[in-house]
């Protein structure tokens, strides 16, 4: 919550500097934004490489069919949630938001005092392919040395995010809002912000309703009772903004819903890593809004957006635990697949962080529905007790 307050302070500071400060001050903040942007661009492939490699390598290997079912259900939920979010956002955002795009109305352009380029070590797709090769290879060969390298690399990048990049985000966003204020596009953008945030939260609730109503009807359970039992996990996640910190509450809530101990102990911690339906809804909704606002971007068709949604479900595996980790993991796809520039990336970060607690809460609550299905499948298979023992 402190980060959100700092983010809002950055937006206000950017507005004030852009409107009232002398040009040299505006250029100074803009220069800081440009340098931070270079560091973010450099870090994106490293996030993908180390976090995905470590995430795949750490997946349990002795749970057989149970693991496959959990992964398939989680990915299917994430994919459907992202698709539904795009269909709703692409239809309603142009109707509800201002029809004025982010055009350069005043023709004023800020120039940075310092130009410094920090090219990434490799591209986003190279990082993704390498992560899969080594993640699967480490899991198959049980290479402890490479596993340690991946885990330690993940810890280093996580420390960079938590101690450097995340604290610098308010300054970065302040620089973007200085630029937009000078160019005359800021008020149109802010008008759309509120619409997008409300829409993202409503989409979270809609998808959770779909999950639990469908699950309740299929399993012969009361959807209202299932949702009620998961509410402590939802509100805990809203307060903590952390899936990991909410795991104990989510475990207890899933067991109250009748999920056996072994299945709950296996699926809930695993889904905290791989089931990110709420974060995906937010990213897709915000990306659609940013494309609508940007003069040089156009909202794609569903067939053009599906590859992005499918890749998003993969890239967000083991997203960094720091606040905003989901959007940091997705930046590579936003730039490479959707063509986002610096201003669009900054808007995505601002929008995502403003509702991060609600996206996390949707992720955690949705894990309860996945656990119910895995429990049902396990009980319906021969040797279910053995599966539960493996899971435990």
């Amino acid at each position: 919550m402190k980060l959100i307050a700092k983010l809002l302070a950055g937006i206000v500071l950017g507005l004030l500097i852009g409107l009232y400060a002398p040009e040299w001050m505006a250029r100074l903040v803009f220069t800081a934004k440009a340098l931070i942007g270079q560091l973010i661009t450099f870090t994106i492939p490293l996030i993908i490489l180390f976090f995905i490699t470590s995430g795949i390598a750490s997946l349990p290997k002795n749970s057989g069919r149970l693991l496959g079912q959990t992964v398939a259900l989680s990915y299917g939920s994430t994919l459907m949630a992202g698709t539904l979010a795009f269909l709703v956002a692409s239809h309603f955002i142009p109707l509800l938001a201002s029809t004025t795009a982010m055009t350069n109305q005043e023709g004023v352009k800020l120039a940075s005092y310092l130009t410094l380029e920090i090219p990434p070590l490799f591209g986003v797709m190279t990082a993704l392919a390498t992560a899969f090769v080594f993640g699967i290879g480490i899991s198959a060969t049980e290479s402890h040395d490479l596993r340690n390298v991946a885990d330690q690399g993940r810890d280093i990048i996580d420390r960079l995010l938590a101690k450097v990049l995340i604290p610098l985000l308010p300054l970065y966003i302040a620089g973007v809002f200085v630029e937009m204020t000078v160019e005359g596009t800021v008020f149109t953008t802010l008008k759309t912000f509120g619409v997008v945030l409300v829409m993202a939260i409503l989409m979270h609730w809609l998808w959770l309703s779909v999950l639990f109503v469908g699950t309740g009807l299929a399993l012969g359970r009361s959807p209202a009772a299932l949702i009620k039992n998961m509410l402590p996990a939802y509100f805990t996640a809203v307060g903590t903004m952390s899936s990991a910190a909410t795991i104990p509450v989510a475990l207890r809530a899933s067991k109250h819903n009748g999920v056996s101990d072994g299945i709950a102990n296996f699926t809930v911690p695993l889904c905290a890593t791989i089931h990110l339906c709420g974060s995906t809804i937010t990213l897709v909704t915000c990306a659609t809004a940013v494309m609508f606002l940007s003069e040089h971007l156009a909202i794609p068709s569903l067939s053009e957006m599906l590859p992005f949604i499918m890749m998003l479900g993969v890239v967000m595996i083991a997203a960094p635990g720091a606040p905003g980790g989901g959007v940091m993991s997705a930046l590579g796809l936003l730039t490479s697949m959707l063509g986002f520039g610096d201003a669009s990336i900054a808007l995505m970060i601002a929008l995502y962080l403003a509702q991060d607690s609600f996206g996390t809460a949707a992720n955690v609550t949705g894990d309860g529905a996945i656990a119910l299905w895995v429990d049902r499948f396990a009980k319906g298979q021969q040797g279910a007790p053995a599966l539960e023992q493996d899971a435990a």
Side-chain angles (χ1 to χ4, degrees), residues 50-51 148-160:
F50 287 112
F51 276 89
N148 289 335
V149 169
D151 290 346
Q152 290 167 6
R154 177 203 61 198
D155 293 342
I156 290 171
I157 299 301
D158 192 42
R159 180 67 63 89
L160 175 65

Side-chain angles (χ1 to χ4, degrees), residues 228-389:
K228 180 183 176 182
N229 287 335
M230 292 301 301
L231 286 180
Y234 183 90
F235 288 110
T236 301
V238 169
T240 63
M241 295 177 65
S242 169
S243 296
T246 313
I247 284 176
V249 182
L251 275 171
R252 187 167 64 245
S254 291
K255 292 173 184 178
H256 284 168
N257 272 337
V259 178
S260 58
D261 287 356
I263 299 300
N265 293 340
F266 173 79
T267 55
V268 171
L270 178 59
C271 286
T273 298
I274 65 175
H275 183 226
L276 299 164
C277 58
S279 298
T280 300
I281 287 171
T282 300
L283 286 168
V284 172
T285 303
C286 294
T288 305
V290 171
M291 288 187 286
F292 167 75
L293 285 170
S294 302
E295 185 182 35
H296 64 285
L297 296 173
I299 297 177
S301 64
L302 177 60
S303 61
E304 294 170 331
M305 193 68 174
L306 270 178
F308 170 76
I309 298 172
M310 295 172 70
M311 292 297 296
L312 193 60
V314 174
V315 166
M316 293 182 70
I317 294 175
V327 71
M328 299 302 290
S329 299
L331 292 184
L333 295 182
L334 291 168
T335 55
S336 63
M337 298 186 73
L338 298 184
F340 278 31
D342 286 346
S344 300
I345 288 296
L347 287 178
M348 280 295 301
I349 294 173
L351 283 167
Y352 186 91
L353 288 177
Q355 64 70 65
D356 192 18
S357 58
F358 292 97
T360 301
N363 293 339
V364 170
T365 307
D367 295 347
I370 302 297
L372 284 163
W373 279 105
V374 175
D375 186 61
R376 172 65 177 270
F377 291 150
K379 289 176 179 176
Q381 295 165 0
Q382 283 188 341
L387 279 173
E388 291 191 17
Q389 181 64 35

Side-chain angles (χ1 to χ4, degrees), residues 11 15 19 177 180-191:
I11 293 174
L15 280 168
L19 289 172
F177 274 82
M180 288 193 297
T181 303
V182 171
E183 293 181 355
T185 63
V186 68
F187 293 109
T188 297
T189 303
L190 287 175
K191 225 188 293 184

